[in-house]
Amino acid sequence: MRFWLVLQQLALLILIITTDALNNETDHVSLLAMKSKILDPFGGGVLSSWNESSHFCNWEGVVCGKRHKRVTLIDLRSLGLSGTLSPHVGNLTFLRRLFLSNNTFHGEIPNEIGGLYRLRALLLQRNSFQGRIPASLSRCSNLMNISFGFNNLVGTIPEEFSSLSMLKRIVVQYNNLTGGIPKSLCNITSLEVFSAPYNLLGGTIPNNLGQLKNLVFLGLAGNQISGMIPSSLYNLSNLNALSLSFNDLHGILPPYFGNMFPHLEILQLDFNNFTGQLPNSIGNLTKAIMLTFSANEFSGKLTVDFSKLVNLVNLTFEDNKLGSGDFDEMHFLESLTNCSSLEILSAISNQFGGVLPDFVGNLSSNIHVFVLAANQLQGRIPPSIGNLVNLSYLTLEDNRFTGPIPSTIGKVQKLQRIYLGRNQLSGTIPDSIGNLSLVNELYFNNNNLEGTIPSSFGNCQRLISLNLEQNNLSGTIPKELFQVSTISIFLDLSHNHLSGPLPSEIGELKSLVALDISNNNLSGEIPGSVSSCTSLESLFLQGNMLQGSIPKSMEFMRGLQILDLSSNNLSGQIPTFLEKLSLINLNLSFNDFNGELPLHGAFANSSSVSVYGNDKLCGGIPSLQLPRCPVKKLNRNFFFSSKRIYTIVGASILGILIIISSLVFYLRKRKRESTNTLDLLPKESFVQVSYGELLNATDGFSSSNLIGAGGFGFVYRGVLDQIGDVAIKVLNLVNPGATRSFIAECKVLKNIRHRNLVKIVTCCSSIDFQGNEFKALVYKLVMNGNLEKWLHPSQDTSRPEFNLLQRLRVAIDVASALDYLHYQCEPTVIHCDLKPSNILLDQQMVAHVGDFGLARLFHPEMGISHHRSSMGVMGTVGYAAPEYGLGSEMSMKGDVYSYGVLLLEMLTGKRPTDLMFVDGFNIRNFTSQALTGNAIEFVMDPVILKSDIVIGQRDNCLIAMVKIGLACTEELPQNRMNMTDVVRELQQIKKAIFK
């Protein structure tokens, strides 16, 4: 009997061991099945340990139970993984926690996941999962935490979740969920967090939501929820956060509102349709950190006592109808002086009246945003405002303030933006303004300020925009102001009483886009140094007393689009170089110009040019209705004198003989030189195009056909009979590098063909009709402009938005071109000057890399053509690799660096030379912030954030592209990617995101 008992126990033990072995093998097979569906784009990651060399319990990211050696945890968070989630995950029946967040997984969440009946936490947020939330999860009766935020999920929140009696957290924000908030959720009495903001949820807030007594976080912002806040919601006394922003809610807040939430820290009601008065009980939200009431219809006098809200950091009620016009209605600010943590106070666009009291200076020393613009405030700006020493953003514009700007403003040395425009301020601009060394935007426009412009503005060395228009300022413009070279957006001194000459230091504003000094009393000549303002697009000098002629140096202001010199005392002939500028508006009216008016460029369109009030002008296009220019009459007696006739004829014959002999000698010499130049070019035949054909194709190189200008010449559009539309780059041979550039580009482009490279038609080297040397490159015309104009369009340029998919395609095109140049050409080609202006887009938005004027050929046995000593630092500032500045030779890795900068510029919309990039902070540092926290919307170009693809998928695409850009811009060349890998990675991103 005892024997049989021992035998029975032994059999049971064998059965347990066998069962455990089988179950362990199930986990092993399931993990390998999961691995087979996962892609690691960077290789060599965590999943490399998932192999047969060790037990699966020792694999990275896997944790097993000590007793049964079954998988209890899979943690693959933030590893850059992609692929899909295998249905085999449902066989890991001991799994308690599955963490896959912050990767780029896609596809549907498998229904088999409902078999994980021990599962407690499922974290899949920040991926690209699609499809519906599986209702099968309701079988996971131990589930406590579901987090699916930042994906592409659709459909409704499953009603079946009501059976999950242990569930504490449902987090599904930033998806595409529809339907309403399920009433069945109210049965989950254990629920503490329900976060579903930024979906497409509609309907009303269920009344029985008030049954969730344990709820501490309710987030429904950014949906389509309507109706009123149900009264049952006021039973949720444990709430820490109530976020209802960006919905269609309406109604009034009951008087007892603030008494019902003793633990509330965050209240967000902005961007709804709430009405009525803000209840005084708001002052009883003693734990409040953030209160936002903006963009509603709240009205009446604000009488809330905020003094008990000692933790308050952010208070905003902008864009309402608050205010009664009472003289003391800003008294509520006194109660805010007790809020020592306050950082942001914004009440812009309301109806507040009365005066700004002195105790405003007693507000929190931490406050950095103070916004009261667009109200009806009056009286003086209190000097005590100088006590707010940490203030960075101050706007009091569009009120009725009077009196002077307090000199104490100079104590607020962290100010970056200050707006006091459109008030009734008087007195002088205080010299202490020069203490604001960090200020970048300063608006004092449309006031009654008088006196001179302080020279202390010269200390504001981070100033970007300055607006002093419509005041009573007088005296001369201090040269120190023009020495603030950071001023780049605009400088507006118009409609004052400024006098004296325009300082020559104006030329130091090389980054300035718009300058307006119109309607003053300026005298003297326009300084020639104005041509150094190479970024200037708009120049307004009208309504002054300027004299002399238009400086010849202005012909180099190729970016100028608007020029207004009207109502001055300018004289002389109107220079013909104005025809070549890209002017869309030219006003020369009411001056003293004389002579014949040019006919081309802006002068060819009467809607673009104005010359009224210049009585000595003649000619021009008929629609300008100027008198015809007189024909010069010759002295008949001179020609009818016989002696003079003989003299003229003899001299003419002698002169013609001299000219002919000289011309023959000159042409032979030029022919030899031209032959020598062409001998340096590849021997294969080009399409033969003569100088005369190019002259005819461009209508005599007319300014109306001018489409671009660069360091080595001008680019014209033309039409050749045998080819069609072409772009013709005419070299400026005065530039000593032009011939070298011509030869380099002809050599490179002659024997290479790729869909993403510009196609050269011919290299033309000949003599023009005046016997001058002529060199030109002829390309097939690419119709859609360059990438620079698409990334940074001017304000008056109307073109479709440059979306994320288009940018990704351009990134692939450019990478493909470089990959071809680096690895498929013999010899290898190094571009050396990759930047947006050298990338052209055709009508299908296909990118073509061009401008090979600095390119180098690399022969393995000979090295690189033209060593560093002959050329100096190659490329363009901001795009050139850092090692080039240290004297290193050109390399493929240098092109990779330029490409990386270009890719980051395409994602952020910021040039690498942006003024924000100073003191070691560059576009690489800036863009890398997208990989941490929730900074994508802060870093990326707002245009691509409007993409039609869902947010989670969009963000995954952006993050993956950022990683490539960062990998290309590594400091050490050997750490950078190669272009073959870049092409492959980008194509994988496109395939995964844009199927």
Side-chain angles (χ1 to χ4, degrees):
M1 185 71 173
R2 184 169 180 175
F3 170 76
W4 286 108
L5 182 62
V6 171
L7 189 62
Q8 189 178 23
Q9 290 176 341
L10 182 61
L12 180 62
L13 180 61
I14 292 172
L15 179 63
I16 292 172
I17 293 172
T18 303
T19 302
D20 283 348
L22 289 173
N23 288 335
N24 285 348
E25 183 58 25
T26 298
D27 283 8
H28 181 224
V29 170
S30 298
L31 289 173
L32 290 178
M34 288 180 63
K35 179 184 177 182
S36 69
K37 298 291 185 180
I38 299 174
L39 300 174
D40 184 355
F42 296 101
V46 169
L47 295 186
S48 63
S49 69
W50 290 30
N51 56 55
E52 302 295 344
S53 63
S54 62
H55 191 274
F56 64 80
C57 290
N58 296 321
W59 292 354
E60 287 190 55
V62 177
V63 174
C64 294
K66 293 181 180 180
R67 180 180 175 188
H68 298 291
K69 299 297 181 182
R70 300 291 303 279
V71 177
T72 60
L73 165 66
I74 297 177
D75 188 353
L76 300 178
R77 289 175 288 186
S78 304
L79 297 176
L81 303 175
S82 61
T84 60
L85 181 57
S86 169
H88 285 81
V89 69
N91 295 329
L92 301 171
T93 53
F94 273 70
L95 194 65
R96 289 179 173 83
R97 290 172 291 171
L98 177 58
F99 300 158
L100 302 179
S101 54
N102 200 26
N103 286 289
T104 55
F105 287 108
H106 60 276
E108 295 189 358
I109 302 170
N111 280 319
E112 289 80 358
I113 206 165
L116 303 177
Y117 60 91
R118 289 185 173 89
L119 194 65
R120 295 181 181 177
L122 179 59
L123 308 185
L124 305 182
Q125 70 267 26
R126 295 189 180 277
N127 280 285
S128 298
F129 285 111
Q130 300 152 315
R132 303 173 73 91
I133 299 173
S136 61
L137 279 171
S138 61
R139 301 201 301 268
C140 303
S141 57
N142 290 297
L143 257 181
M144 301 174 68
N145 186 352
I146 297 174
S147 185
F148 294 161
F150 296 94
N151 279 285
N152 304 320
L153 299 174
V154 298
T156 60
I157 299 171
E159 295 274 357
E160 292 84 350
F161 279 6
S162 61
S163 64
L164 298 173
S165 59
M166 299 179 65
L167 194 60
K168 292 186 176 182
R169 293 173 57 88
I170 300 177
V171 181
V172 291
Q173 77 269 35
Y174 287 94
N175 280 283
N176 297 306
L177 300 176
T178 54
I181 302 166
K183 293 181 179 180
S184 60
L185 289 185
C186 304
N187 298 327
I188 311 174
T189 55
S190 58
L191 199 61
E192 296 178 359
V193 174
F194 180 56
S195 178
Y198 299 97
N199 280 282
L200 303 171
L201 300 176
T204 60
I205 300 173
N207 191 52
N208 58 357
L209 209 62
Q211 298 174 17
L212 303 177
K213 302 295 185 182
N214 293 310
L215 203 63
V216 296
F217 187 102
L218 179 58
L220 300 175
N223 281 286
Q224 300 167 9
I225 299 171
S226 58
M228 301 174 66
I229 297 176
S231 58
S232 66
L233 211 62
Y234 301 122
N235 296 329
L236 302 179
S237 58
N238 288 317
L239 275 182
N240 297 139
L242 176 60
S243 177
L244 304 176
S245 305
F246 294 94
N247 278 290
D248 197 24
L249 297 167
H250 66 271
I252 63 170
L253 302 185
Y256 52 81
F257 182 92
N259 301 329
M260 309 310 294
F261 306 112
H263 303 290
L264 200 64
E265 297 178 0
I266 296 174
L267 174 63
Q268 296 175 321
L269 300 180
D270 42 319
F271 292 89
N272 279 285
N273 301 308
F274 292 114
T275 55
Q277 195 169 4
L278 280 178
N280 289 338
S281 61
I282 294 291
N284 294 327
L285 298 173
T286 56
K287 299 290 182 64
I289 296 173
M290 175 185 290
L291 299 176
T292 61
F293 304 104
S294 301
N296 281 285
E297 298 289 327
F298 290 116
S299 59
K301 190 172 184 178
L302 184 59
T303 56
V304 178
D305 181 355
F306 295 98
S307 60
K308 291 185 288 186
L309 280 58
V310 294
N311 299 312
L312 190 61
V313 173
N314 184 341
L315 175 61
T316 62
F317 30 76
E318 57 194 42
D319 197 14
N320 279 283
K321 297 178 180 178
L322 292 168
S324 61
D326 292 348
F327 190 75
D328 65 342
E329 69 175 331
M330 299 304 290
H331 193 72
F332 74 90
L333 290 174
E334 186 171 19
S335 66
L336 283 170
T337 62
N338 204 43
C339 304
S340 56
S341 299
L342 190 64
E343 295 181 6
I344 298 173
L345 174 60
S346 178
I348 190 173
S349 296
N350 277 279
Q351 297 174 8
F352 290 117
V355 299
L356 195 58
D358 286 338
F359 49 68
V360 70
N362 298 329
L363 290 171
S364 166
S365 59
N366 294 313
I367 195 166
H368 60 83
V369 174
F370 186 55
V371 180
L372 294 177
N375 281 283
Q376 299 169 22
L377 298 171
Q378 53 188 287
R380 298 192 170 209
I381 300 174
S384 62
I385 205 164
N387 297 339
L388 307 180
V389 293
N390 285 305
L391 205 60
S392 63
Y393 180 25
L394 171 65
T395 173
L396 302 176
E397 64 184 353
D398 289 299
N399 278 286
R400 301 171 184 172
F401 287 111
T402 56
I405 299 172
S407 60
T408 54
I409 199 76
K411 295 166 59 178
V412 192
Q413 296 187 21
K414 293 185 179 179
L415 265 178
Q416 296 179 32
R417 292 185 288 171
I418 174 171
Y419 300 91
L420 302 180
R422 291 183 294 276
N423 279 285
Q424 299 168 26
L425 298 172
S426 57
T428 61
I429 300 173
D431 284 334
S432 62
I433 208 75
N435 296 335
L436 305 180
S437 57
L438 300 180
V439 71
N440 49 56
E441 294 182 19
L442 193 151
Y443 290 62
F444 290 170
N445 53 290
N446 298 84
N447 280 288
N448 299 315
L449 299 173
E450 55 190 22
T452 59
I453 300 175
S455 59
S456 59
F457 267 119
N459 299 328
C460 303
Q461 287 294 319
R462 294 196 179 183
L463 198 60
I464 295 174
S465 300
L466 174 63
N467 192 345
L468 302 178
E469 70 164 318
Q470 292 282 357
N471 279 285
N472 296 317
L473 299 171
S474 58
T476 59
I477 303 174
K479 64 180 182 181
E480 291 83 359
L481 178 59
F482 287 151
Q483 291 171 336
V484 182
S485 59
T486 55
I487 299 178
S488 56
I489 298 178
F490 70 83
L491 172 60
D492 193 342
L493 308 178
S494 65
H495 295 275
N496 280 284
H497 307 296
L498 301 171
S499 59
L502 197 56
S504 61
E505 286 79 6
I506 190 174
E508 298 187 31
L509 299 179
K510 292 180 171 58
S511 301
L512 185 61
V513 172
L515 174 63
D516 191 346
I517 318 183
S518 62
N519 296 288
N520 280 283
N521 299 315
L522 298 179
S523 57
E525 298 188 350
I526 301 173
S529 58
V530 71
S531 62
S532 297
C533 302
T534 52
S535 299
L536 207 60
E537 296 178 3
S538 302
L539 177 59
F540 300 96
L541 296 177
Q542 71 269 23
N544 283 285
M545 297 183 289
L546 297 171
Q547 302 169 341
S549 58
I550 298 174
K552 188 177 187 303
S553 62
M554 289 183 69
E555 67 179 307
F556 300 108
M557 300 177 72
R558 296 293 178 182
L560 202 60
Q561 298 180 27
I562 300 175
L563 176 61
D564 195 335
L565 302 178
S566 62
S567 300
N568 278 285
N569 298 320
L570 298 170
S571 58
Q573 289 193 319
I574 295 176
T576 56
F577 68 73
L578 291 177
E579 295 177 307
K580 298 179 182 180
L581 301 185
S582 304
L583 292 168
I584 58 175
N585 193 311
L586 173 63
N587 192 346
L588 303 176
S589 299
F590 301 103
N591 279 284
D592 195 26
F593 291 116
N594 61 65
E596 187 171 2
L597 192 68
L599 294 171
H600 303 293
F603 298 97
N605 187 345
S606 59
S607 63
S608 299
V609 66
S610 176
V611 292
Y612 296 116
N614 289 278
D615 297 335
K616 300 175 184 176
L617 285 177
C618 63
I621 58 176
S623 57
L624 292 178
Q625 297 182 345
L626 293 177
R628 295 180 62 181
C629 294
V631 178
K632 294 181 179 179
K633 296 182 179 180
L634 301 178
N635 188 333
R636 294 171 57 88
N637 293 331
F638 178 86
F639 285 99
F640 284 99
S641 166
S642 58
K643 291 183 179 180
R644 285 173 177 167
I645 289 175
Y646 298 146
T647 303
I648 291 171
V649 171
S652 299
I653 293 173
L654 179 61
I656 290 171
L657 292 173
I658 293 173
I659 290 172
I660 290 174
S661 61
S662 299
L663 185 58
V664 169
F665 173 79
Y666 183 79
L667 290 176
R668 287 175 177 172
K669 179 176 181 292
R670 285 299 186 185
K671 184 176 182 181
R672 289 195 300 271
E673 290 177 354
S674 178
T675 301
N676 292 337
T677 298
L678 290 174
D679 285 344
L680 297 173
L681 302 179
K683 296 299 183 183
E684 293 81 2
S685 61
F686 282 116
V687 175
Q688 297 301 309
V689 180
S690 68
Y691 169 79
E693 288 177 290
L694 295 182
L695 190 70
N696 291 332
T698 58
D699 193 20
F701 299 110
S702 167
S703 59
S704 62
N705 287 323
L706 184 67
I707 58 175
F712 293 141
F714 302 98
V715 182
Y716 296 86
R717 178 174 180 166
V719 180
L720 290 172
D721 292 337
Q722 69 269 44
I723 297 166
D725 290 324
V726 292
I728 302 163
K729 181 178 179 180
V730 178
L731 278 296
N732 177 13
L733 299 180
V734 175
N735 188 320
T739 298
R740 182 167 51 202
S741 171
F742 173 77
I743 294 171
E745 196 151 9
C746 289
K747 278 187 173 182
V748 169
L749 290 175
K750 174 60 178 149
N751 294 315
I752 60 177
R753 289 291 184 269
H754 190 275
R755 78 183 286 264
N756 299 123
L757 296 175
V758 294
K759 182 180 180 182
I760 193 166
V761 173
T762 189
C763 294
C764 177
S765 182
S766 62
I767 303 298
D768 68 17
F769 293 157
Q770 284 75 43
N772 298 313
E773 187 176 9
F774 175 83
K775 295 186 187 299
L777 298 154
V778 184
Y779 310 92
K780 284 291 291 180
L781 184 64
V782 183
M783 304 292 290
N784 231 337
N786 62 37
L787 181 59
E788 169 78 17
K789 293 180 180 178
W790 281 87
L791 290 176
H792 311 288
S794 58
Q795 292 181 350
D796 54 359
T797 299
S798 59
R799 57 165 53 106
E801 288 186 345
F802 192 25
N803 64 35
L804 178 55
L805 176 57
Q806 289 172 322
R807 296 186 196 210
L808 176 56
R809 285 172 173 166
V810 168
I812 293 172
D813 289 343
V814 176
S816 300
L818 286 179
D819 181 45
Y820 171 81
L821 295 173
H822 289 178
Y823 300 108
Q824 299 170 45
C825 287
E826 183 60 33
T828 292
V829 178
I830 303 170
H831 188 279
C832 298
D833 196 21
L834 191 69
K835 57 185 178 181
S837 60
N838 289 342
I839 297 166
L840 305 177
L841 304 177
D842 66 19
Q843 287 180 310
Q844 287 73 44
M845 295 299 286
V846 174
H848 303 263
V849 177
D851 200 338
F852 287 77
L854 298 181
R856 293 288 173 267
L857 303 179
F858 177 75
H859 302 262
E861 69 282 1
M862 298 173 58
I864 299 174
S865 62
H866 294 291
H867 290 274
R868 61 184 182 271
S869 59
S870 66
M871 291 297 292
V873 178
M874 297 292 292
T876 300
V877 173
Y879 301 92
E883 63 269 18
Y884 288 0
L886 301 176
S888 295
E889 286 188 342
M890 309 307 109
S891 70
M892 291 184 288
K893 292 297 187 180
D895 277 358
V896 173
Y897 181 89
S898 301
Y899 176 84
V901 173
L902 172 73
L903 181 57
L904 298 181
E905 182 177 0
M906 290 173 65
L907 294 172
T908 63
K910 294 187 179 297
R911 295 182 175 91
T913 54
D914 193 288
L915 292 175
M916 71 180 293
F917 301 133
V918 294
D919 300 329
F921 183 64
N922 56 31
I923 193 170
R924 191 177 193 274
N925 308 140
F926 175 72
T927 314
S928 65
Q929 298 175 96
L931 303 182
T932 60
N934 299 322
I936 283 182
E937 296 194 1
F938 168 73
V939 172
M940 296 299 159
D941 187 342
V943 173
I944 56 177
L945 294 177
K946 300 175 183 177
S947 173
D948 290 335
I949 61 174
V950 293
I951 291 176
Q953 200 170 12
R954 175 203 72 187
D955 290 354
N956 290 331
C957 176
L958 292 173
I959 288 172
M961 292 176 71
V962 165
K963 288 179 179 178
I964 293 172
L966 297 178
C968 291
T969 53
E970 287 282 355
E971 186 77 15
L972 297 176
Q974 61 268 29
N975 292 342
R976 298 171 195 155
M977 295 178 74
N978 62 59
M979 294 314 301
T980 302
D981 291 338
V982 170
V983 173
R984 185 182 68 253
E985 296 291 346
L986 289 173
Q987 287 175 337
Q988 286 182 355
I989 293 170
K990 181 174 178 289
K991 183 177 180 181
I993 305 298
F994 302 95
K995 294 186 178 71

